[in-house]
Amino acid sequence: MKKLDFKDRFLYPAGTVFAVMAVSWAGYFGSACLENDALHQALAKVFGTAYFLSVAFGTLYVYTVSYLRGASPGERVLASAISPFIWATKENLLLLESYGILESIYWYLNPLNFWLTCFMALQMGIGGIVARTVLRRRGEAVTGVTPASLALIAVSVAAVVSGYAWGKGENLYVIFLAGYRALFGYGI
């Protein structure tokens, strides 16, 4: 496998998903300014769906493409995490309107970010398998499935199933809320 330069193996895959995320975010919220309600609703659905897909499934694309372009494991993980991290940070910055900076930073530990992190790990495991399968079809001597990919998939699925099975995920929120109250009191 040929290792491409940094912009081709890291910036382009991560930048593509980020661009889709940014444009769809702007389109979703920008469509609210339209006077035509039918057009607003149609654009909101299209851009909202693209926004969700870029945040929720962008990791699979970025991880797979960066792997195929020769990115190291660390580069693949970092590139895959850029858009979800920016999304989470955007949500955290919105909290600064009502909460202090430490409380906003604590928001990174919320259950939604837990689910997103598990889903990202699942996609990285699947992306590794997909990339190695493509490389094998290109004639390279790699295996399609590795123990590391299977372990990543298994651990992420087990975390999601365990978190959901344990009170349908509500217990994770209770723990998050108890941590908030222990650190910051009952808030506003």
Side-chain angles (χ1 to χ4, degrees):
M1 171 174 50
K2 182 181 175 188
K3 185 174 183 175
L4 300 179
D5 66 352
F6 183 75
K7 70 177 182 352
D8 288 329
R9 72 177 187 267
F10 185 94
L11 294 178
Y12 287 158
T16 300
V17 170
F18 176 75
V20 170
M21 183 182 78
V23 167
S24 59
W25 174 85
Y28 178 78
F29 289 103
S31 68
C33 298
L34 298 174
E35 292 182 20
N36 183 330
D37 190 54
L39 182 58
H40 160 65
Q41 293 300 321
L43 289 175
K45 287 178 185 174
V46 169
F47 285 119
T49 301
Y51 186 45
F52 169 77
L53 292 175
S54 65
V55 173
F57 293 99
T59 297
L60 180 61
Y61 171 80
V62 174
Y63 193 87
T64 305
V65 171
S66 61
Y67 194 122
L68 292 171
R69 293 180 176 189
S72 69
E75 288 175 333
R76 294 190 301 256
V77 170
L78 184 59
S80 298
I82 288 174
S83 289
F85 178 75
I86 290 172
W87 173 80
T89 300
K90 175 194 63 74
E91 297 300 315
N92 286 22
L93 291 175
L94 292 173
L95 293 173
L96 289 174
E97 293 177 4
S98 302
Y99 297 95
I101 190 154
L102 292 177
E103 292 167 294
S104 296
I105 291 171
Y106 181 78
W107 184 253
Y108 279 110
L109 301 176
N110 78 69
L112 182 58
N113 288 344
F114 167 78
W115 300 117
L116 180 59
T117 302
C118 290
F119 197 51
M120 288 170 54
L122 173 69
Q123 291 175 70
M124 288 181 202
I126 293 169
I129 292 170
V130 169
R132 281 189 293 282
T133 301
V134 168
L135 291 172
R136 193 177 63 218
R137 288 184 182 161
R138 290 180 182 170
E140 296 194 29
V142 295
T143 58
V145 179
T146 64
S149 290
L150 290 177
L152 191 56
I153 291 169
V155 168
S156 62
V157 168
V160 167
V161 169
S162 299
Y164 186 77
W166 186 42
K168 296 183 181 178
E170 292 174 11
N171 291 332
L172 295 176
Y173 180 71
V174 169
I175 292 170
F176 168 75
L177 193 56
Y180 176 86
R181 288 177 178 154
L183 292 170
F184 307 107
Y186 282 88
I188 295 176

